[in-house]
Amino acid sequence: MNVLGYAQRLGKSLMLPIATLPVAALLLRIGQPDLADIPWMAAAGGAIFSHLSIIFALGIAVGMSKDEHGAAAIAGAVGWYIIEAVATTVDPSIKMGVFSGIIAGIIAGHSYNQFNGVKLPQFLAFFGGKRLVPIMTGLIALITGAILGFVWPPIQEGLNAFGNAVVGSGAVGQFSYGFLNRLLIPVGLHHVLNTIFWFTIGDCVQVTYTVAGSVMNTCVNPEMITSLAVGGSAPDVLNGGMIAGSEITQIADKVTNGDLHRFFAGDPNAGIFMNGFFPVMMFGLPGAALAMVLTANKGRKAETAGILGSLALTSFLTGVTEPIEFLFVFLAPALYAAHAIMTGLSLVVANALGTLHGFGFSAGLFDMVLNWGLATKPFVLVLQGFVWFFLYFVVFFFAIKTFNLKTPGREDLAPATAGSASSAATSTGTGSDYEQARQYMKSLGGYRNIKSIDACITRLRLTLENGDVVNEAQLKALGAKGVVRLGSGNVQVILGPQAEIIAGEMRKIPADDSLADVTLP
């Protein structure tokens, strides 16, 4: 498998554990004293954040296995426990965070693919097949943990140095992350980048304290822990001096890593790699959508408005941007490059203005409102959003007009489809989800051409026998926003939020279905 194809599988696998974050953030946030004040609800959300590493091990193991079997998940847990125990016994200073889960998940996934069908001699037959998977995973994890015990400390120092360099570089690091985050979206590798920034860079230790009779939390630099004690008073420097003299009731025994995790743990310095996405997703892309509607060809404005209006609303409310981004990334790649640049600039400006905000799912209205109480200067972030709406609108409008870019509503359509509501930009297939899945499968070359079917939030991730037989025109006529090829056999079909549904229906299609009765646009 080529490197991009393998990275595609890993990126897809990361989505399963990351999908647990919205519910974790929701429970943790609603349970806080400034909202519902339900301690057990906050504890439920906190439990997920506290065990992200093993959740990553479970999710990646399932995602990397060829048929997403539960045996791979069990093997992932076994591998994680062994790696953590062995590595920290060799060197107690090791703190791998989610990386131990990622490593364990990869080992377990590959072990499942390699050993799930192995037959052992009769006297060992009970331990063959899928029962062999956690055994082999454990043995491999044992060796891996011992090796990591010696090699991880310098890696850990390197990661810390990288994180400190990015944070210390200020605007340069912020811009680079925002720019690369958008630039990697077409190939689906932004999840790998996000894992580094959201779950590994920066650390703190959670401290619980009482103030005015209420139980509160904050997250402080690990170096401060030596000066704190349960039952003692919070020093003037804790949380900017706002809680000086309050009684400390609990100090966590685990370090919290990553911008996202630290934000929800109460770190007043977290959010620098999330805040700048709110102006882009809530305001910038809707501004771009308006520009594309107004520049659409005469007679197609209403049709284009219907498409882009719903996608802009999705971006504004939820922060799911891929459906709208894939409408112009291939039609006008220069505009997409401008979008990536403006995203990087948004992070720089948001941090320069002193704002901090975070999300459990994405930078949409739902997360902005829910986490408003944890944010720093969120109203300023909204004001920046209005500026970004205008910026995106102006850049897109004049670029489209000046360079005659073929954005939605301006594409060169065949005479039979020009102006038709069933064109590539508007069609979403016909009939039930199952029938649409059969249409997609036929456009992909049929059952025999598909080796594996996966999906993330907005895209089908496919491994094919022969990628050359894929009919991109038919896929787009069925409603695909774009098709990404990662080597000869790895293809991504951008569908939008229905991707998981279509993938599930495609898996139900029997091998003997010839698809002869399927009608394509």
Side-chain angles (χ1 to χ4, degrees), residues 69-275:
H69 198 277
I74 295 175
V78 170
W80 180 80
Y81 279 114
I82 291 176
I83 286 175
E84 281 280 330
V86 173
T88 55
T89 299
V90 174
D91 188 338
S93 68
I94 287 177
K95 296 180 179 66
M96 298 182 67
V98 297
F99 282 112
S100 62
I102 293 173
I103 294 170
I106 292 173
I107 292 173
H110 283 289
S111 294
Y112 178 85
N113 296 338
Q114 185 67 35
F115 301 112
N116 79 91
V118 171
K119 294 182 179 180
L120 297 177
Q122 188 62 35
F123 67 96
L124 293 175
F126 176 81
F127 299 102
K130 293 180 174 60
R131 296 188 185 93
L132 184 61
V133 175
I135 297 173
M136 296 305 299
T137 299
L139 292 175
I140 297 171
L142 179 67
I143 299 171
T144 303
I147 294 173
L148 289 172
F150 294 100
V151 304
W152 189 259
I155 295 175
Q156 185 170 301
E157 291 179 6
L159 289 171
N160 289 337
F162 170 72
N164 292 333
V166 171
V167 175
S169 66
V172 174
Q174 295 155 17
F175 174 84
S176 299
Y177 168 64
F179 176 75
L180 290 173
N181 176 278
R182 293 297 97 180
L183 209 62
L184 290 173
I185 280 215
V187 292
L189 300 183
H190 56 299
H191 301 307
V192 179
L193 182 71
N194 291 340
T195 298
I196 297 173
F197 283 85
W198 292 351
F199 304 119
T200 64
I201 287 183
D203 53 25
C204 67
V205 176
Q206 194 167 22
V207 175
T208 303
Y209 59 94
T210 58
V211 56
S214 298
V215 178
M216 306 292 285
N217 293 294
T218 191
C219 214
V220 303
N221 190 304
E223 296 176 359
M224 289 188 58
I225 297 303
T226 56
S227 64
L228 303 179
V230 175
S233 297
D236 293 341
V237 295
L238 190 59
N239 203 12
M242 294 178 62
I243 61 170
S246 300
E247 182 181 351
I248 297 173
T249 59
Q250 185 178 355
I251 299 175
D253 58 356
K254 290 185 178 181
V255 174
T256 297
N257 299 100
D259 204 42
L260 187 151
H261 195 179
R262 290 187 295 115
F263 177 81
F264 285 100
D267 187 344
N269 300 310
I272 61 175
F273 295 108
M274 295 183 287
N275 55 354

Side-chain angles (χ1 to χ4, degrees), residues 434 438 441 446-448 508-517:
Y434 183 75
R438 296 178 74 231
M441 181 168 282
Y447 188 95
R448 296 182 182 277
K508 296 177 183 178
I509 299 173
D512 59 355
D513 187 341
S514 66
L515 306 176
D517 62 325

Side-chain angles (χ1 to χ4, degrees), residues 203-464:
D203 53 25
C204 67
V205 176
Q206 194 167 22
V207 175
T208 303
Y209 59 94
T210 58
V211 56
S214 298
V215 178
M216 306 292 285
N217 293 294
T218 191
C219 214
V220 303
N221 190 304
E223 296 176 359
M224 289 188 58
I225 297 303
T226 56
S227 64
L228 303 179
V230 175
S233 297
D236 293 341
V237 295
L238 190 59
N239 203 12
M242 294 178 62
I243 61 170
S246 300
E247 182 181 351
I248 297 173
T249 59
Q250 185 178 355
I251 299 175
D253 58 356
K254 290 185 178 181
V255 174
T256 297
N257 299 100
D259 204 42
L260 187 151
H261 195 179
R262 290 187 295 115
F263 177 81
F264 285 100
D267 187 344
N269 300 310
I272 61 175
F273 295 108
M274 295 183 287
N275 55 354
F277 288 108
F278 285 97
V280 172
M281 296 179 175
M282 291 179 60
F283 299 93
L285 284 172
L290 178 61
M292 288 187 279
V293 169
L294 295 181
T295 55
N297 292 334
K298 185 178 181 180
R300 297 193 63 197
K301 291 186 185 293
E303 167 197 323
T304 306
I307 303 163
L308 288 171
S310 63
L311 299 184
L313 183 62
T314 298
S315 179
F316 177 76
L317 293 176
T318 69
V320 175
T321 62
E322 290 186 26
I324 192 171
E325 287 167 327
F326 274 92
L327 281 183
F328 67 89
V329 62
F330 300 114
L331 293 172
L335 271 184
Y336 194 83
H339 166 47
I341 291 171
M342 288 188 285
T343 300
L345 289 175
S346 182
L347 266 74
V348 173
V349 172
N351 285 292
L353 293 174
T355 71
L356 289 171
H357 213 326
F359 46 78
F361 178 65
S362 192
L365 180 65
F366 295 149
D367 265 295
M368 170 169 271
V369 173
L370 181 65
N371 302 318
W372 187 276
L374 293 176
T376 301
K377 299 182 180 179
F379 186 70
V380 174
L381 206 57
V382 174
L383 295 179
Q384 181 190 336
F386 287 112
V387 174
W388 245 244
F389 178 91
F390 179 76
L391 175 64
Y392 266 74
F393 175 81
V394 170
V395 169
F396 272 65
F397 186 90
F398 285 101
I400 294 169
K401 284 289 191 181
T402 303
F403 301 105
N404 191 28
L405 301 177
K406 302 300 182 181
T407 48
R410 296 171 61 87
E411 314 98 314
D412 295 323
L413 299 178
T417 60
S420 169
S422 62
S423 66
T426 61
S427 176
T428 57
T430 58
S432 66
D433 292 333
Y434 183 75
E435 290 306 315
Q436 288 185 41
R438 296 178 74 231
Q439 290 178 306
Y440 279 110
M441 181 168 282
K442 186 168 185 176
S443 299
L444 291 164
Y447 188 95
R448 296 182 182 277
N449 193 45
I450 300 177
K451 296 170 65 175
S452 68
I453 302 170
D454 290 307
C456 63
I457 295 175
T458 59
R459 66 185 78 193
L460 297 176
R461 295 172 180 261
L462 307 159
T463 303
L464 308 177

Side-chain angles (χ1 to χ4, degrees), residues 41-64:
M41 182 176 288
I48 296 175
F49 279 115
S50 298
H51 297 87
L52 276 181
S53 187
I54 191 171
I55 291 173
F56 268 75
L58 295 166
I60 292 174
V62 171
M64 296 294 286

